[in-house]
C-alpha cells in the first residue's frame, strides 16, 4: 500500500474545504505506486487524486511538475491537471507533507504489454516531447548521469547481498557512462527538452486499445529526448522472461519517429542511453531494496530486472538491434 502518510478525517475535511469541491464522500489509499502517498478522493463534485509527496520529490520542484501538467493539458496531452483552491493556489501542505489535488483520469494501465500498446506509447511520447517544447520552466535531471555515482556509493557496500560482484560490475559501467554520456550542449549535442523520465506501463492509461492519458510527472525534467525513448525501450519492450522483443521496439520507435523524427546521432546513441536508463532504475531499485523499512506495505521492485536489461544493451551492436530496418 503506497500510503506512507495517513490523513485523518478531520485534516482531510479541513483540506478539502479550501476547494470548491463540495463535501468529502470517500477517500481511499491507493495501493499502486512506490514513491508517494496517493488517495482516491470522491467529493460531491466527482473523483480526484490526492497526492502527498514523499522522500524522492523535492518540494522546490513541485511548481515545475504542476506547471508542466497544466501546460501539457492545455496542449491536448491527456494528463492530470492540478486543482486550485479558493485562494488560487494548487500546492498546499497536509499532515506535514506537500500535497496537491489533481483531476482523475479514466483508464487502466496495461498489465500485459501488447504490440499495439508500444505503438500507441511511441506516438504519445513524441507528442509529449513536442508539446513540451515551448514550456518555459526547466528542471535539471537529478537522476541522470551526474546523480548515479552518489546512488551507487550509497549501495556499493551491500550490493553483494543482492548479487555477488554487482558493485564491481556497476562501478565499471558507471565509469564508462560517465566518460561517454552524450551531451545536450556543444558540438554533437543531442536534442533536449521536457521528458517524462518515468514512462513505465503503470503510468500510461488505456481505454480499450486507445491510450487515454499519462500520469506521474514527478520525475519529469529537462534532458535528452532520446533518453526518454531509451527508458521506454526498457520499460515496454522486454518480455516477463527477460527476452527483448524487437517487434515491440520497432513499433515504439517507428510510431515515435512518425511524430518526431530521431536524428542519426540520436539513433546511434540509443544503446548507450539504454545502458544509462538501465543503470538509473537499477540503482534506485537497489537503494530502495537495501533501505526497505521492515514491515512496510510497499513491496520494493527487483533491481536485477534492470541488471538483465543492462546486460542486453551492453551486447547491442547498434540501433539495428532495436528492430529498426
Ligand atoms: N490522475 C490520476 N487519475 C487516476 N488514477 C491515478 C491518477 N494518479 C495516480 N493514479 C493512481 O494512483 C497510482 C499511483 O500513482 P503514481 O504512479 O503517480 O504514484 P507513485 O507513488 O508516484 O508511483 P510510481 O512508483 O509509479 O512512481 C496509479 O497507478 C494510479 O492507479
Ligand atoms: N518506475 C520506477 C519506480 C518509480 O520511479 C521503477 O519501476 O523502478
Amino acid at each position: 500500500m503506497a500510503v506512507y502518510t495517513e490523513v485523518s478525517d478531520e485534516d482531510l475535511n479541513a483540506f478539502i474545504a479550501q476547494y470548491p469541491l463540495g463535501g468529502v464522500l470517500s477517500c481511499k489509499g491507493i495501493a499502486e505506486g512506490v514513491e508517494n502517498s496517493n488517495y482516491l478522493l470522491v467529493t460531491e463534485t466527482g473523483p480526484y487524486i490526492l497526492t502527498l509527496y514523499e522522500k524522492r520529490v523535492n518540494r522546490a520542484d513541485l511548481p515545475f511538475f504542476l506547471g508542466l501538467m497544466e501546460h501539457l493539458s492545455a496542449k491536448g496531452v491527456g494528463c492530470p491537471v492540478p486543482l486550485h483552491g479558493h485562494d488560487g493556489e494548487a500546492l498546499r501542505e497536509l499532515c506535514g507533507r506537500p500535497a496537491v489535488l489533481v483531476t482523475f483520469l479514466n483508464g487502466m494501465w496495461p498489465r500485459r504489454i501488447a504490440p499495439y500498446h508500444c505503438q500507441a506509447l511511441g506516438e504519445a511520447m513524441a507528442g509529449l516531447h513536442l508539446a513540451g517544447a515551448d514550456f518555459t520552466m526547466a528542471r535539471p535531471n537529478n537522476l541522470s548521469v551526474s546523480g548515479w555515482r552518489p546512488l551507487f556509493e550509497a549501495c556499493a557496500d551491500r550490493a553483494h547481498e543482492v548479487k555477488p560482484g554487482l558493485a564491481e560490475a556497476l562501478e565499471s559501467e558507471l565509469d564508462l557512462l560517465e566518460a561517454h554520456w552524450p551531451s545536450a550542449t556543444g558540438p554533437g549535442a543531442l536534442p533536449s527538452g521536457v521528458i517524462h523520465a518515468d514512462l513505465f506501463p503503470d503510468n500510461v492509461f488505456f481505454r480499450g486499445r486507445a491510450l487515454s492519458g499519462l500520469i506521474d510527472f514527478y520525475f519529469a525534467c529537462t534532458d535528452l529526448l532520446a533518453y526518454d525513448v531509451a527508458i521506454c525501450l526498457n520499460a515496454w519492450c522486454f518480455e516477463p522472461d527477460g527476452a527483448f522483443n524487437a517487434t515491440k521496439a520497432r513499433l515504439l520507435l517507428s510510431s515515435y519517429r512518425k511524430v518526431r523524427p530521431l536524428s542519426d546521432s540520436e539513433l546511434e546513441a540509443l544503446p548507450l542511453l539504454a545502458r544509462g536508463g538501465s543503470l538509473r532504475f537499477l540503482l534506485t531499485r537497489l537503494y530502495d531494496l537495501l533501505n526497505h523499512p521492515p514491515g512496510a506495505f510497499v513491496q520494493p521492485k527487483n533491481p536485477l530486472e534492470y541488471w538483465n536489461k543492462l546486460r542486453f544493451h551492453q551486447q547491442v551492436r547498434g540501433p539495428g538491434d532495436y528492430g529498426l530496418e
Side-chain angles (χ1 to χ4, degrees):
M1 165 75 80
V3 171
Y4 301 97
T5 305
E6 298 287 346
V7 181
S8 71
D9 290 351
E10 183 185 2
D11 288 343
L12 179 66
N13 287 322
F15 183 82
I16 299 302
Q18 301 173 92
Y19 296 84
L21 300 178
V24 174
L25 300 181
S26 67
C27 186
K28 296 185 177 66
I30 295 173
E32 294 168 318
V34 296
E35 297 291 345
N36 301 304
S37 299
N38 290 287
Y39 292 86
L40 173 55
L41 169 82
V42 180
T43 74
E44 291 166 314
T45 55
Y48 304 94
I49 295 291
L50 168 63
T51 297
L52 280 71
Y53 300 96
E54 305 293 352
K55 68 177 187 315
R56 222 171 238 138
V57 175
N58 181 340
R59 191 190 194 294
D61 289 333
L62 284 164
F64 173 87
F65 301 140
L66 304 181
L68 176 61
M69 288 191 275
E70 289 181 330
H71 175 88
L72 293 174
S73 179
K75 291 271 189 173
V77 173
C79 67
V81 181
L83 283 91
H84 297 256
H86 297 300
D87 59 0
E89 295 300 321
L91 177 54
R92 301 182 184 287
E93 194 168 292
L94 178 56
C95 302
R97 302 303 309 165
V100 170
L101 272 182
V102 299
T103 53
F104 180 87
L105 260 60
N106 288 307
M108 297 279 290
W109 66 268
R111 270 67 178 178
R112 287 180 58 188
I113 311 304
Y116 72 81
H117 290 125
C118 300
Q119 188 161 20
L121 184 275
E123 181 183 353
M125 177 175 31
L128 163 62
H129 291 167
L130 294 182
D134 59 346
F135 183 54
T136 55
M137 298 175 78
R139 174 180 177 262
N141 185 356
N142 61 353
L143 282 172
S144 185
V145 61
S146 59
W148 299 339
R149 191 163 294 273
L151 260 177
F152 166 73
E153 288 169 352
C155 302
D157 291 348
R158 294 180 54 204
H160 66 276
E161 297 173 22
V162 177
K163 178 180 179 61
L166 183 60
E168 294 73 11
L170 295 185
E171 183 160 32
S172 166
E173 181 68 12
L174 188 53
D175 290 344
L176 180 143
L177 292 170
E178 285 176 337
H180 299 289
W181 195 250
S183 170
T185 57
L190 297 186
S192 64
V194 167
I195 70 169
H196 183 284
D198 193 31
L199 264 184
F200 280 57
D202 62 356
N203 291 329
V204 181
F205 284 9
F206 284 80
R207 298 184 71 175
R209 293 172 72 99
L211 192 148
S212 58
L214 308 175
I215 64 166
D216 196 0
F217 285 80
Y218 305 118
F219 288 105
C221 54
T222 311
D223 204 342
L224 303 174
L225 299 178
Y227 180 50
D228 226 7
V229 177
I231 288 170
C232 288
L233 283 176
N234 278 336
W236 294 76
C237 302
F238 282 84
E239 295 305 316
D241 65 1
F244 182 74
N245 186 320
T247 300
K248 290 180 177 178
R250 178 174 50 77
L251 288 168
L252 188 157
L253 292 170
S254 56
S255 63
Y256 181 96
R257 296 168 78 185
K258 283 183 187 143
V259 177
R260 178 190 166 268
L262 288 167
S263 68
D264 290 344
S265 303
E266 288 180 292
L267 291 172
E268 285 307 314
L270 273 182
L272 196 70
L273 295 170
R275 288 170 68 158
S278 302
L279 185 65
R280 175 271 190 238
F281 288 97
L282 192 164
L283 287 172
T284 49
R285 290 184 175 195
L286 181 61
Y287 181 89
D288 289 349
L289 181 62
L290 294 176
N291 296 279
H292 187 62
F297 280 108
V298 180
Q299 285 311 303
K301 296 185 174 184
N302 178 10
L304 294 183
E305 175 189 345
Y306 273 77
W307 166 252
N308 295 327
K309 294 177 182 182
L310 175 59
R311 299 291 289 154
F312 169 80
H313 295 299
Q314 285 174 336
Q315 54 80 48
V316 161
R317 295 179 308 282
D321 288 348
Y322 297 136
L324 296 173
E325 281 81 36

